Amino acid sequence: MAGEKSRKALLATLGVLGAIPVASGLNGILGGPERAPGGAATTPSVDSEYRFVNTFWTAAGFALWWSIRRPEKRAATTRLVLGTAAAGGLPRLLSARRAGVPHPVFQAATVLELAVLPGVLLWHAKVIRDGRRAESSNAELAAAPDRS
């Protein structure tokens, strides 16, 4: 039963984590860099690139939502999305070093990416592994001959 509670909590967490890129990505596509926290008008090239990149960010959120509908079968998608977002914390550190400390929202995003997401990835791996073990045990029990 504890395993099922952990699985449900993980799926709820992944659902919330998927909402972040969907909401912020759509905001970036529709509003451009000016609508970003601490944002401002920029060059047409940067505006274009910003909106383009936010398309991928939005898609990452939808992919995460898609993956939680069948978590065991789509675990690779979950790992790819979370792993890519976690890796994105490293370029944020590079940016902070070269361009300066960003808006507090992006500071929080860096913490989320570098500290929280790796923990969620480990949690995900455990829940998926435990779920597969339970499936395997159930299959063995179902296949065992009845000796009553």
Side-chain angles (χ1 to χ4, degrees):
M1 196 53 68
E4 186 59 26
K5 278 187 175 183
S6 183
R7 183 178 188 275
K8 286 181 179 180
L10 173 66
L11 296 180
T13 300
L14 293 174
V16 170
L17 288 174
I20 294 169
V22 169
S24 64
L26 290 173
N27 182 59
I29 292 166
L30 300 173
E34 295 158 350
R35 205 183 292 170
T42 186
T43 66
S45 294
V46 171
D47 185 279
S48 173
E49 186 68 8
Y50 181 83
R51 292 172 197 261
F52 173 80
V53 168
N54 271 285
T55 302
F56 285 93
W57 186 228
T58 303
F62 284 121
L64 194 56
W65 283 345
W66 174 82
S67 74
I68 62 178
R69 297 198 52 164
R70 292 201 171 103
E72 289 77 20
K73 293 186 188 294
R74 299 173 180 171
T77 299
T78 303
R79 287 192 299 269
L80 178 64
V81 170
L82 294 180
T84 301
L90 297 174
R92 285 193 195 274
L93 291 178
L94 176 63
S95 175
R97 182 176 167 91
R98 291 197 176 168
V101 178
H103 187 279
V105 167
F106 297 115
Q107 292 176 44
T110 304
V111 171
L112 177 75
E113 292 153 358
L114 295 177
V116 176
L117 292 184
V120 174
L121 277 162
L122 291 172
W123 182 19
H124 178 263
K126 181 181 180 345
V127 166
I128 296 302
R129 185 176 53 249
D130 291 351
R132 288 182 177 152
R133 279 190 195 137
E135 278 181 21
S136 180
S137 294
N138 290 340
E140 287 175 19
L141 287 174
D146 186 12
R147 300 196 187 251
S148 8

